[in-house]
Amino acid sequence: MNRSLRPLVATAAIFLLAYMVAVAQFPAMASTRVLGNFLTDNAFLGIAAVGMTFVILSGGIDLSVGAVIGFTTVLIAVLVMWAGLHPLLAFAIALIVAALFGAGMGAAIYYLRVPSFIVTLAGMFLARGAASVLSPDSIGIKHSFYTTVSKSYLLMPGGGRLSVVGIMMLLVFLAGIVIAHRTRFGSYVYALGGSETSAALMGVPVARTTILIYTLSSTLAGLAGVVFSLYTSAGYSLNALGVELDAIAAVVIGGTLLTGGYGLVAGTFIGVMLQGLVQTYIVFDGTLSSWWTKIVIGALLFMFILLQRLLHSAAPRRRKRLWTA
Amino acid sequence: MTAQDAEALLEARGIVKIFGQHRALDDVSFALRAGEVHALLGENGAGKSTLIKILTGAYRPDGGEVRLQGAPVSFRDPLHAQSHGIGTVYQEVNLLPNRSVAENLFLGHQPTRWGLVRRKEIEARARNILVTYGLDIDVREELSSFSVAVQQIVAIARAVELSGKVLVLDEPTASLDRNEVDRLFDVIRSLKARGLGIIFITHFLDQVFALADRVTILRNGRKIATHALTEVNTTDVVRMMLGKDVAFDHHLTGLAGATHGAPCVRFAGLGRKGSVAPFTLDVHEGEVVGVAGLLGSGRTEMARLMFGIDLADSGQITVDGKPATIRNPAQAVAAGFGFCPEDRKLDGIFGELSVRENIIIALQAKLGWFRALNREDQIDLAGRYADALDIRAANHDMPVKLLSGGNQQKVILARWLAIDPSFLILDEPTRGIDVGAHAEIVRTINRLREEGLGLFVISSELDEVVAYSNRVVVMRDRQMVAELTGADVAPDRIVQAIAGTPVLPVSAVAEVAP
């Protein structure tokens, strides 16, 4: 089996096992209603995690994701409630701002040769700070568009509701899969994660690719902010605190190697779903503190990092027979 | 065979490259023809890699010009050179270990339809290309799941696909075994038959003779000669590389026959797989054993084994008749060994520390943490050895990096003398020192011998080896291939041993010599 598929299979197996255990205990969890809520509740995390997957595949990290989501919700609230813009126009402006922000970080990472960890840490403080400057208080959004969107859904068999934001997340994942595995840009992302020196010698446009990767991540964080705004109908500078870490956890649990080069966007989807499953289980149980989510995610993350070590390095690398003759 | 080669595919004319004060290349001309394998030979620092970097666009020359098919060219970078048909394959495979073989072949040039990569087409084309190289593998598998030899061939295939006129192979065989080398040579021969010009860089002379049509030899940034390999033999080539005319003899008469004391160190069957084949060597008190051999022949590896830097997997070490365990440099120092490494700046000198601190550091390390030398002792010791070795520094508190290369070398010597060693290993003690200081280092070595030390000295400078050695061991292909004593300690005999030609009597060589 392809080496990058192995962690994905492991994640999928664990997800199915956990799901079956949960369903055995709470049969109601098997319904499409729960599934619909699952997708809706984790839509913003999933969308941000797609961007994070690209960043991590290239060997980088993006710590600004949560702050960009928070900033976007405030910006949208300000544009809609104070400036009176139509939400769709506000969304477009917010996405453009997020994209430029990401491009700036990517350029700093490439041209100043500063590690992505530092640049995006600075980006995180900048975005969070800018959001507080726009408005330190939570701004509620009241607009007919928001009401319409939150009432729209596709009915799934079994009465489950597939919300607009849930559909958006699924589409983002589909697009992410196509971009990662079927475009030249996608192959450049993997190339950077494999070896930046080799990639440069092989003619990969390293500067353009780096900038595009962080632009993509921030744009998707902006889109996650749009979804968060639709989901909560409010803008608040402290929204989505720590979501970047949840996104990183989803990516790693989904089988992407934190050092880059190996992993699949589809794996991240399972990573997000597994986090959602843990949350839902805890809600169903009712007696457990919500902090148990963090504990379980922490344990899972640790387990997956161990698993990756085993799959990627400890396992003897089979060397193929050299010649056919 | 002149610089103005009418058939030249890629040509360098009068190339000059200067780094700071140093002329890395001085008026070097080189011509590569289509359909030939042209070997480029030279010791470290001869200018091989600088020349290659200029031909492939990584450096720009400070003088002279590069011509491709008769037209002058100036490459911005290796990619630009690649688009003009010049591809390079490096010693370490510069491909992506995490991607499939097919993607490694086509990265950046994947055929697409509506922005989507046509994977099936890439895989089919990759299979077809690799079959012409005798490789029938699953191109969807990750590159890292294949051996280095396969990766090497994938790298060559990529370079040929994208360039297709000139292929530069920079030590492609360094990490391959015998069979793999043979298969690689088949590939190179078939590319030659397709009309590519191939520049082949290697340390292995037998490979040059097996594969190449012509050879160009560089030494100290100058071109020595270009020859068809039918006109020269191994001895000629070694002679040109090391630049020794056999006619002269620095050897101090009586030295080789000089009496020396009791054995001080014995290495019996010491060896390490893939590094140095087991060798047995005695060094006596008051004896200098010189080591000759080309770069990569295992000289330095031998010294590293002796000093416990690399762990030997066979053999014993006996010091003063008693068995000794040397598994790390600290144990070697405890046994009375000293080691001046090849690359002073990297492994030897603490540039920021003072002359005094550099001298006392090995002694302090030997004494341990709790017996610190007080300042008076330090000053006294440093002064004594600095005087003994005639180290010229304004004062002993100035940073060592401000000293000349020769004086730095003497500081390292002083450091080891301070621990009162019985056996001293010197790896290229005169490298990077201006010529005037060479004689002084040689004198110092001779004096240490007279004082009863056992010395093991590695050097590429044949006349120096001859000037201070009682005995000379010769390394080739990571094996000790000869031990020369008495009248055989002479440059011509050493050259023969390095080249691996049958050992002729001294008199016969003298007649052969020009």
Side-chain angles (χ1 to χ4, degrees), chain B residues 193-409:
Chain B
R194 277 164 62 177
L196 267 80
I198 296 162
I199 301 176
F200 179 59
I201 301 169
T202 183
H203 290 321
F204 301 107
L205 287 185
D206 54 334
Q207 293 182 357
V208 170
F209 281 88
L211 186 68
D213 302 300
R214 291 197 297 161
V215 59
T216 291
I217 293 149
L218 299 178
R219 189 175 74 233
N220 293 331
R222 290 174 167 277
K223 179 168 115 170
I224 302 304
T226 298
H227 285 291
L229 280 161
T230 48
E231 324 176 314
V232 287
N233 61 29
T234 327
T235 314
D236 299 329
V237 171
V238 173
R239 204 172 282 163
M240 287 186 277
M241 285 172 70
L242 300 184
K244 297 306 158 209
D245 300 319
V246 176
F248 82 101
D249 186 2
H250 264 292
H251 198 51
L252 311 173
T253 39
L255 178 60
T259 50
H260 42 69
C264 76
V265 210
R266 178 180 169 81
F267 303 96
L270 201 67
R272 177 183 163 91
K273 271 210 170 54
S275 172
V276 189
F279 62 91
T280 297
L281 182 71
D282 286 291
V283 183
H284 301 83
E285 288 172 9
E287 181 186 40
V288 177
V289 176
V291 186
L294 295 177
L295 188 80
S297 59
R299 301 174 308 189
T300 299
E301 290 79 358
M302 205 174 175
R304 291 170 63 89
L305 274 189
M306 290 175 166
F307 202 62
I309 300 169
D310 296 331
L311 209 52
D313 50 19
S314 71
Q316 288 95 41
I317 302 178
T318 315
V319 180
D320 293 331
K322 289 184 285 288
T325 314
I326 293 182
R327 303 177 65 83
N328 56 49
Q331 285 175 340
V333 172
F337 288 18
F339 179 40
C340 304
E342 181 176 9
D343 193 328
R344 235 179 4 254
K345 291 201 181 66
L346 210 63
D347 301 325
I349 273 289
F350 300 97
E352 305 293 331
L353 296 187
S354 71
V355 173
R356 176 170 49 79
E357 287 161 328
N358 266 288
I359 291 178
I360 61 117
I361 200 155
L363 179 60
Q364 185 63 68
K366 195 179 176 185
L367 290 176
W369 282 58
F370 300 108
R371 286 188 290 162
L373 288 168
N374 65 38
R375 198 176 155 79
E376 283 72 42
D377 287 345
Q378 287 186 16
I379 291 172
D380 176 52
L381 263 171
R384 194 137 40 89
Y385 286 102
D387 287 348
L389 292 177
D390 194 20
I391 294 171
R392 288 180 205 141
N395 62 64
H396 298 154
D397 287 315
M398 67 190 273
V400 158
K401 64 176 180 187
L402 300 179
L403 267 55
S404 70
N407 279 309
Q408 289 186 7
Q409 193 65 41

Side-chain angles (χ1 to χ4, degrees), chain B residues 6 20 26 116 216 289 301 308 359 371 400 415 436 457 464-465 469 507:
Chain B
D26 193 3
L116 297 185
T216 291
V289 176
E301 290 79 358
I359 291 178
R371 286 188 290 162
V400 158
R415 173 194 299 169
V457 186
E464 286 179 21
V465 172
S469 301
S507 53

Side-chain angles (χ1 to χ4, degrees), chain A residues 2-3 181-184 187-188 190-191 194 198 201-204 261-262 318-320 322-324, chain B residues 95-96 98-99 103-104 107-108 110 116-117 119 135-136 141-142 144-146 150 153 158 180 183:
Chain A
N2 195 315
R3 279 209 295 163
H181 308 304
R182 295 300 305 276
T183 65
R184 278 192 190 174
S187 67
Y188 294 160
Y190 281 96
S198 292
L201 279 172
M202 290 171 81
V204 170
Y262 293 94
R318 346 152 257 152
R319 287 283 179 189
K320 295 283 158 55
L322 170 48
W323 306 100
T324 46
Chain B
L95 293 178
L96 300 165
N98 59 330
R99 303 309 286 163
E103 190 168 319
N104 269 293
L107 186 81
Q110 299 108 318
L116 297 185
V117 169
R119 194 181 298 171
L135 222 50
D136 185 11
E141 291 269 2
E142 263 167 44
S144 62
S145 64
F146 296 98
V150 170
I153 291 189
R158 179 181 165 93
E180 293 171 332
R183 296 302 299 257

Side-chain angles (χ1 to χ4, degrees), chain A residues 71 74-76 78 82 128-137 139 237:
Chain A
F71 174 79
V74 177
L75 182 64
I76 291 169
V78 167
W82 297 356
R128 199 61 86 180
S132 315
V133 168
L134 274 182
S135 164
D137 306 311
I139 308 169
S237 62

